[in-house]
């Protein structure tokens, strides 16, 4: 089942990449391509605010957070990015509760794959390195031994974890009014390493999602370009 | 906008849009537990003279517990015992009914620590053995091989007969 899920995830991401490349090819043929050496190196920067993070709970996710990004437009092609955020998660399963507070950062670059240099719409591929630090609690930790019929109940408080990961992503951004634009990003991430308390690994990692070796995360952001 | 859509192609733009609208509703996570929660002390019988594994007929029961873990089980070379979670001292009576010899009692002092395996799997109490000793009616001696008690099949205690 896990392999099937992973396969579906991979397929979706690969599809996005494939369509991006397809669109790029068409665009390149039809558009008047501006010579790259006539484009200034630096063309401003954009600040983005993720609109999904504060409203995740509406979609059944216990995470509420905020996320900001800053990207720099280099020749309308390369966009070095820094993303910072933080949040709070609360979840419960069979009487066991998890809650965490934490922050994260990502650094990486986007590559515009369209030949359209007007920046009214662009699709891109990108890569990130991410890091998160969090404090978490497990509440209602209950264990029972079947032979002795003994039960232990406790709360495991003030645990901490640090997580490192890398991401491949695809995104689109559309200008909606003058310097304001909206965009989707879909991220496929791979956990590189994690240090955590001996009481157990965190269930949720800010900026990463459920604490599994791979996963998918989305952003829907509002951008302002300076 | 129309010029732009013509530029990138309506088909591509539509596919992009559909994918991006659909993706948030696609779940790529798996529910369910893949790990064991059974924490046990793995104990193995060894022949003292031959210094090799041996098997006996064994009845096994916890001290102050009426339930039998093993009842005259034959050819037992490895057995598992469970530690109390609410105290730090656990004892078992080992009987060897086939050999008409005296019983022995295995005493284990340990510390307990709860751990969350995962939200799906739940929790378990893992232990660390501080000391282990045994009466020596039939048992010759014992060795603590691995102090950390977990869910693996790793040998923890070796009992020489």
């Amino acid at each position: 089942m896990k392999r099937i899920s992973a396969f579906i995830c991979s397929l979706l991401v690969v599809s996005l990449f494939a369509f991006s490349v397809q669109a790029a090819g068409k665009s390149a043929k039809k558009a008047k391509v501006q010579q790259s050496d006539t484009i200034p190196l630096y063309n401003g920067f954009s600040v983005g605010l993720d609109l999904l993070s504060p409203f995740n709970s509406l979609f059944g996710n216990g995470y509420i957070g905020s996320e900001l990004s800053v990207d720099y437009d280099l020749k309308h092609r390369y966009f070095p990015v820094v993303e910072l955020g933080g949040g709070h998660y609360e979840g419960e399963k069979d009487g066991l509760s998890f809650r965490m507070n934490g922050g994260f950062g990502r650094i990486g670059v986007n590559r515009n794959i369209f030949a359209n240099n007007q920046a009214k719409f662009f699709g891109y591929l990108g890569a990130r390195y991410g890091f998160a630090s969090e404090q978490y609690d497990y509440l209602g930790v209950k264990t029972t031994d079947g032979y002795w019929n003994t039960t232990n109940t406790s709360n495991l408080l003030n645990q901490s974890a640090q997580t490192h990961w890398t991401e491949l992503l695809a995104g689109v951004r559309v200008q909606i009014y003058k310097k304001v634009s909206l965009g989707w990003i879909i991220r496929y991430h791979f956990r590189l390493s994690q240090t955590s308390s001996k009481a157990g690994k965190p269930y949720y990692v800010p900026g990463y999602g459920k604490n599994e070796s791979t996963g998918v995360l989305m952003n829907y952001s509002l951008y302002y370009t300076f | 906008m129309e010029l732009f859509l013509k530029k990138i192609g309506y088909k591509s733009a539509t596919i992009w849009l559909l994918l991006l609208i659909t993706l948030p509703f696609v779940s790529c996570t798996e529910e369910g537990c893949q790990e064991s929660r059974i924490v046990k002390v793995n104990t193995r019988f060894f022949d003292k003279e031959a210094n090799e594994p041996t098997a006996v007929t064994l009845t096994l029961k916890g001290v102050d517990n009426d339930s039998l873990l093993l009842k005259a089980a034959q050819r037992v070379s490895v057995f598992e015992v469970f530690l109390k979670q609410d105290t730090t001292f656990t004892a078992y009576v080992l009987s060897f009914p086939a050999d008409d010899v005296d019983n022995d009692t295995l005493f284990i002092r340990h510390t307990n620590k709860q751990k969350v395996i995962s939200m799906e799997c739940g929790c378990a109490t893992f232990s660390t053995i501080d000391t282990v000793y045994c009466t020596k009616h039939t048992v010759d001696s014992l060795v603590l091989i691995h102090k950390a008690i977990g869910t693996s099949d790793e040998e923890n205690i070796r009992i020489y007969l």
Side-chain angles (χ1 to χ4, degrees):
Chain A
M1 187 64 190
K2 194 171 186 176
R3 286 182 181 176
I4 294 170
S5 299
F7 175 73
I8 292 169
C9 292
S10 308
L11 199 63
L12 288 168
V13 174
V14 169
S15 302
L16 278 175
F17 283 102
F19 287 126
S20 304
V21 172
Q22 179 196 12
K26 287 182 179 178
S27 182
K29 287 175 186 172
K30 293 176 183 176
K32 292 178 182 176
V33 180
Q34 190 176 349
Q35 294 298 314
S36 62
D37 57 359
T38 65
I39 303 170
L41 174 65
Y42 178 67
N43 299 284
F45 67 97
S46 298
V47 176
L49 174 68
D50 181 40
L51 302 177
L52 286 181
S53 298
F55 304 105
N56 259 319
S57 56
L58 296 176
F59 303 102
N61 188 331
Y63 181 74
I64 296 177
S66 56
E67 182 175 336
L68 276 174
S69 68
V70 179
D71 62 68
Y72 298 88
D73 181 346
L74 303 182
K75 284 188 172 291
H76 295 321
R77 286 284 183 192
Y78 297 99
F79 296 80
V81 188
V82 175
E83 298 163 333
L84 295 170
H88 173 77
Y89 181 92
E90 280 194 26
E92 187 269 342
K93 191 173 177 65
D94 299 330
L96 176 64
S97 299
F98 173 80
R99 66 185 182 198
M100 86 69 198
N101 288 297
F104 65 91
R106 302 188 202 100
I107 188 166
V109 66
N110 296 331
R111 168 69 163 90
N112 185 0
I113 54 171
F114 288 103
N116 170 21
N117 292 325
Q118 301 307 309
K120 290 186 175 180
F121 175 101
F122 68 94
Y124 54 91
L125 303 176
R128 301 280 190 277
Y129 161 77
F131 170 80
S133 180
E134 64 186 302
Q135 296 284 321
Y136 60 97
D137 304 322
Y138 276 108
L139 308 173
V141 176
K142 185 178 178 182
T143 55
T144 304
D145 167 64
Y147 180 68
W148 293 101
N149 285 323
T150 53
T151 300
N152 240 349
T153 306
S154 66
N155 297 323
L156 304 176
L157 306 175
N158 301 318
Q159 312 297 316
S160 63
Q162 288 76 42
T163 308
H164 302 259
W165 70 91
T166 186
E167 294 179 354
L168 294 175
L169 59 87
V172 290
R173 196 184 293 184
V174 182
Q175 182 188 30
I176 55 171
Y177 179 73
K178 292 185 179 175
K179 295 186 173 184
V180 180
S181 53
L182 277 170
W184 284 100
I185 301 175
I186 179 160
R187 306 168 182 274
Y188 190 54
H189 50 231
F190 312 83
R191 191 176 56 211
L192 296 174
S193 68
Q194 185 171 64
T195 55
S196 63
S197 304
K198 288 182 179 176
K201 293 177 180 177
Y203 175 67
Y204 198 93
V205 177
Y208 185 88
K210 269 188 80 175
N211 190 13
E212 295 173 340
S213 56
T214 62
V216 175
L217 203 67
M218 295 201 64
N219 293 105
Y220 181 59
S221 299
L222 183 70
Y223 298 91
Y224 188 87
T225 302
F226 294 90
Chain B
M1 188 69 178
E2 194 176 327
L3 182 66
F4 157 72
L5 286 174
K6 279 181 181 171
K7 252 182 183 177
I8 69 161
Y10 282 101
K11 191 178 171 186
S12 295
T14 307
I15 291 168
W16 267 101
L17 193 65
L18 283 174
L19 269 174
L20 292 175
I21 289 171
T22 309
L23 277 168
F25 303 100
V26 176
S27 171
C28 293
T29 59
E30 186 197 12
E31 297 289 326
C33 176
Q34 308 292 323
E35 294 183 52
S36 170
R37 279 196 302 170
I38 301 171
V39 177
K40 55 197 180 359
V41 181
N42 301 301
T43 309
R44 181 187 293 270
F45 287 119
F46 251 64
D47 185 297
K48 173 77 175 174
E49 290 182 0
N51 196 28
E52 61 184 25
T54 187
V56 296
T57 301
L58 180 69
T59 294
L60 183 65
K61 120 181 213 321
V63 173
D64 299 329
N65 192 325
D66 294 332
S67 302
L68 294 176
L69 261 182
L70 294 173
K71 185 178 180 182
Q74 295 184 340
R75 300 188 59 77
V76 175
S77 60
V78 177
F79 63 96
E80 300 164 351
V81 295
F82 307 100
L83 302 179
K84 291 180 180 176
Q85 299 187 1
D86 58 347
T87 65
T88 57
F89 183 77
T90 305
Y92 280 89
V93 176
L94 284 64
S95 307
F96 307 94
D99 299 328
D100 193 25
V101 293
D102 291 334
N103 297 344
D104 273 306
T105 307
L106 177 68
F107 301 95
I108 303 172
R109 285 199 181 280
H110 52 92
T111 54
N112 302 323
K113 198 161 193 175
Q114 284 187 303
K115 182 178 177 181
V116 176
I117 297 172
S118 70
M119 288 288 272
E120 287 77 20
C121 294
C123 319
T125 297
F126 289 76
S127 303
T128 302
I129 295 178
D130 294 328
T131 54
V132 56
Y133 50 100
C134 193
T135 56
K136 293 181 179 173
H137 300 118
T138 305
V139 170
D140 179 85
S141 57
L142 55 79
V143 177
L144 179 58
I145 304 288
H146 199 76
K147 297 168 77 167
I149 308 304
T151 56
S152 74
D153 292 327
E154 193 167 23
E155 182 180 4
N156 299 112
I157 298 170
R158 183 173 295 176
I159 294 177
Y160 288 94
L161 299 174

